[in-house]
Amino acid sequence: MSNHLTIPFDGCAVRVDAVPLDREAFAPFGDVIENPRPGLHPSAAASGQESGELPFQGLVANQGSALKYQHVSRMVNLYDQAPSGRPGIAVMNMFVCASRRLLRSSELDPAPEPRSAGAGKPHSVQGSDHEDLFFPVTVLERHPYTTQTFTPLTADPRKRFLVIVAPSLPPSPADQSLPCPKVKPSSWAETRPLPGRGLPDLSRLRAFLATSEQAVTYGAGTWHAPMVALGQTGTALDFLVIQFANGEAIEDCQEVYMSSSTSQQQSGLENLAAQGNHITHLPDANPYEALIKRGNGRPAGIQAIYSTHRVNRNAQQREKFLAPDYKGLAIDPFLLRLENPEVEPGFQDTRNCLVFWARPPEHIIQLASQLQRLLKQAAPGLWLMPSHRMHLTTMEVTHSRTPEEISELVSTIRPAIPLITNHTYTHRCRLVKPMLSYDLSAVAVSFLPAAGEKASSPTRPAPHQLGEKITAVNGDEYTYHHLRRDVFEMIQKTGVEVDSRYVLPSAHITLGRYLTERDHDTPEKRESWVRAIAEINQWLETEVWDADRGTYSGEWMVGQERGLEARSGTLWYGGGRTLMAGEGF
């Protein structure tokens, strides 16, 4: 899953004046750390010359030679709510930030509107001749599960840096791929609510000018610009940065890039095709429509996007397995405890979900089972998904909820469930070209939306099976991504907000997960694993993709044998209960 989004900003320049950083003004976004009583010497407090209560529960320390101000900023770790289940650990890094070049108004496109006489306080960043200077903001980021504290390391009082932040908009389909915590911790300041989901509200962007005597803590989930150090060209400002992290890119840091609609039209899906892990979402009402548009609505274009995503992702994961500084597998802590009760006796998975699955027909199950046998030979310790639990997540409505929350959502969506689950009976799409896709946590068989490939399914339905009163959408012009778009639309019409982790161009069945490092604990074993996957993929391409009545077929008509299945409960590993299954063909 990508940790990048691009949002269009259609050439509309928003001018924000930088104001001096102070604790009160910055409070909605985090903490300002500075000496609250710079004129008070520890000796004065120790001798009793200073009466009255000190801020931050201040007290004399170190045998009277120091003043201690307590809890000037609180670190927050919310990784226990992260979808991966990987814990966050405290990390301390040093950032050496080069001074950023500020622009004159004549260099901006479009040029900013001149400030009217009645405008706000003139706290712009100014040059020596008091000319307004500008820093163009092109990217904002947030760390949804952790605070992040920047402390400048300098004794130079002339050093300055910009702190640029923005509040969050309400959740929308455009940001549903970005996970974030839902529960506010008890230690969270009551005056600063957890931001939650939502893209940055650019109309309420704020900028603060900080001094070398100030440190700043960004609250968990606060959108902010990367650090902007000010100064002469060639100089730098060092920062000590303290936060939590778990190594999952989308959980550690989420980025939003601003672009004009023109540049996005030119580079949106070309970036996806080139990088594989960068997907551009336009803020359409339906995020799946954006990808269809980028593929020009053509099956070949949509297939190319899906293909590029999985090929590039596999290449990235291959590098991770073979890297000299290999970081280890991302073993699922929930599955580990469910499969090995001795790890934590009595453990229960309480993450409830609501989904619409496509169940594979018999010939796809046979292929998947053969792939599992081949994988098991390469990694005997691999946990395998039981064949009767295999599924393709067409739409995840929500995840990680309580049973009560799921029940309420089911009540709301229930009138639309028959329409959704039976949609594949009249809207038939094909998936083809199976390939193993893998990362440090799991391995899956992924498919591509069809684009004119020769039919190879052993059980293709005859047209007369439809009956006189049923008109079915056949042919590859209606792709699997069109199906995802339609299901999303039908759910949204019920008033239920789709909160899915699966928006990327992928159609896959999870085959197995790692529960031990035993099969991958040496470079030789990891190289053997990567080679085995490559050999299996070569077999798929040569023996299955274009096989005509061969042993295995890789063509899957979604809805074959049964329609979509509405399912709820603790179904992370194929469990849960069926609400309704649609009619198959």
Side-chain angles (χ1 to χ4, degrees):
M1 190 178 296
S2 172
N3 66 331
H4 306 282
L5 293 178
T6 299
I7 58 176
F9 204 31
D10 292 331
C12 175
V14 172
R15 173 177 178 153
V16 179
D17 291 335
V19 300
L21 180 65
D22 72 75
R23 189 175 185 89
E24 182 177 354
F26 191 71
F29 308 103
D31 297 319
V32 177
I33 306 170
E34 59 187 345
N35 187 347
R37 295 285 300 275
L40 176 61
H41 193 271
S43 61
S47 64
Q49 298 177 29
E50 177 67 22
S51 60
E53 185 176 343
L54 294 176
F56 296 103
Q57 302 174 6
L59 50 84
V60 176
N62 294 355
Q63 296 79 47
S65 64
L67 281 173
K68 176 182 178 181
Y69 297 108
Q70 305 183 73
H71 305 300
V72 293
S73 183
R74 293 183 182 272
M75 298 179 65
V76 173
N77 180 358
L78 303 176
Y79 279 95
D80 60 342
Q81 299 184 49
S84 71
R86 299 187 72 177
I89 61 173
V91 294
M92 187 179 297
N93 302 310
M94 176 175 283
F95 280 57
V96 180
C97 299
S99 296
R100 309 290 289 275
R101 178 174 177 265
L102 301 179
L103 305 180
R104 291 179 167 81
S105 60
S106 59
E107 299 178 89
L108 298 177
D109 182 23
E113 294 292 330
R115 188 190 294 110
S116 65
K121 297 180 180 180
H123 288 300
S124 299
V125 178
Q126 297 181 330
S128 58
D129 57 357
H130 298 289
E131 176 188 11
D132 284 352
L133 300 176
F134 296 86
F135 178 78
V137 178
T138 59
V139 59
L140 293 175
E141 64 181 43
R142 70 178 176 188
H143 312 282
Y145 298 96
T146 179
T147 49
Q148 186 183 47
T149 299
F150 278 79
T151 303
L153 303 177
T154 180
D156 188 347
R158 297 169 298 177
K159 290 289 188 180
R160 298 287 189 274
F161 58 98
L162 279 178
V163 177
I164 301 169
V165 291
S168 295
L169 290 166
S172 71
D175 70 278
Q176 66 177 358
S177 63
L178 301 180
C180 67
K182 292 182 171 64
V183 180
K184 185 173 69 173
S186 58
S187 61
W188 194 272
E190 291 300 325
T191 57
R192 191 192 314 141
L194 196 64
R197 262 187 53 197
L199 294 176
D201 185 349
L202 302 180
S203 67
R204 294 194 289 157
L205 198 75
R206 298 289 306 275
F208 299 90
L209 186 60
T211 73
S212 60
E213 296 178 340
Q214 294 174 307
V216 62
T217 295
Y218 296 111
T222 295
W223 290 108
H224 61 277
M227 184 52 66
V228 181
L230 303 176
Q232 294 182 346
T233 302
T235 63
L237 181 55
D238 300 342
F239 290 89
L240 178 66
V241 181
I242 302 173
Q243 64 186 91
F244 294 92
N246 72 350
E248 291 287 337
I250 199 169
E251 294 172 357
D252 285 339
C253 183
Q254 300 168 358
E255 297 173 329
V256 166
Y257 293 85
M258 274 64 77
S259 71
S260 68
S261 57
T262 302
S263 64
Q264 189 163 344
Q265 181 71 24
Q266 294 172 346
S267 64
L269 286 182
E270 286 75 11
N271 283 343
L272 173 61
Q275 300 177 30
N277 69 337
H278 180 119
I279 184 165
T280 300
H281 289 299
L282 292 175
D284 294 303
N286 191 323
Y288 299 95
E289 186 67 41
L291 187 143
I292 293 172
K293 290 178 180 178
R294 293 302 177 270
N296 295 316
R298 301 195 312 270
I302 294 169
Q303 184 185 94
I305 294 168
Y306 272 68
S307 177
T308 300
H309 172 75
R310 74 176 183 180
V311 169
N312 287 356
R313 179 172 171 79
N314 269 6
Q316 294 164 357
Q317 299 305 317
R318 178 182 183 276
E319 293 302 315
K320 289 184 178 181
F321 271 98
L322 301 181
D325 60 341
Y326 169 72
K327 305 298 185 183
L329 298 173
I331 295 174
D332 187 327
F334 291 87
L335 182 60
L336 179 65
R337 284 158 174 77
L338 292 173
E339 291 294 309
N340 301 292
E342 65 274 10
V343 174
E344 186 178 332
F347 175 81
Q348 292 185 342
D349 186 357
T350 59
R351 300 169 299 170
N352 286 259
C353 310
L354 177 60
V355 300
F356 286 90
W357 282 350
R359 292 287 198 175
E362 183 61 30
H363 67 279
I364 294 298
I365 291 178
Q366 291 175 0
L367 173 62
S369 297
Q370 173 63 10
L371 294 175
Q372 287 182 323
R373 286 190 286 269
L374 296 173
L375 291 169
K376 197 73 170 177
Q377 293 173 10
L382 189 68
W383 174 85
L384 298 181
M385 177 73 74
S387 60
H388 69 279
R389 290 190 168 190
M390 290 180 179
H391 60 275
L392 166 66
T393 302
T394 298
M395 185 62 57
E396 180 183 62
V397 182
T398 191
H399 61 91
S400 304
R401 298 292 193 94
T402 66
E404 293 75 20
E405 290 173 323
I406 294 296
S407 179
E408 184 176 348
L409 289 172
V410 169
S411 296
T412 303
I413 204 174
R414 189 177 295 279
I417 289 179
L419 182 65
I420 297 171
T421 55
N422 286 295
H423 194 66
T424 52
Y425 190 81
T426 55
H427 294 73
R428 304 185 177 184
C429 56
R430 290 196 302 152
L431 293 171
V432 297
K433 299 182 177 181
M435 172 187 283
L436 290 181
S437 298
Y438 68 110
D439 58 19
L440 293 173
S441 63
V443 59
V445 56
S446 63
F447 298 81
L448 301 181
E453 289 79 9
K454 180 176 62 175
S456 64
S457 171
T459 56
R460 287 182 60 82
H464 67 78
Q465 292 177 338
L466 297 176
E468 296 180 358
K469 295 184 178 181
I470 299 293
T471 301
V473 178
N474 282 297
D476 293 339
E477 293 297 320
Y478 187 82
T479 70
Y480 177 69
H481 207 78
H482 286 85
L483 174 63
R484 298 172 75 187
R485 176 203 64 185
D486 289 353
V487 173
F488 180 94
E489 187 71 23
M490 287 185 280
I491 295 171
Q492 291 285 90
K493 285 182 178 179
T494 69
V496 171
E497 178 191 338
V498 177
D499 180 20
S500 173
R501 297 165 297 145
Y502 306 110
V503 183
L504 293 181
S506 179
H508 63 272
I509 299 172
T510 298
L511 298 178
R513 295 179 180 274
Y514 314 110
L515 290 183
T516 173
E517 290 274 3
R518 187 170 56 249
D519 299 323
H520 305 87
D521 56 4
T522 68
E524 293 76 20
K525 290 180 181 179
R526 295 192 291 275
E527 184 175 352
S528 176
W529 173 247
V530 169
R531 185 170 58 250
I533 289 179
E535 291 172 353
I536 295 171
N537 280 338
Q538 183 63 37
W539 171 75
L540 285 167
E541 186 170 352
T542 57
E543 301 295 330
V544 177
W545 283 17
D546 298 318
D548 186 11
R549 300 295 183 267
T551 305
Y552 298 101
S553 170
E555 180 195 55
W556 175 5
M557 292 193 69
V558 180
Q560 204 168 345
E561 297 183 6
R562 73 174 90 179
L564 296 181
E565 184 175 342
R567 204 165 175 88
S568 68
T570 55
L571 44 80
W572 219 272
Y573 313 107
R577 70 183 186 95
T578 298
L579 302 172
M580 179 177 289
E583 183 177 357
F585 51 82

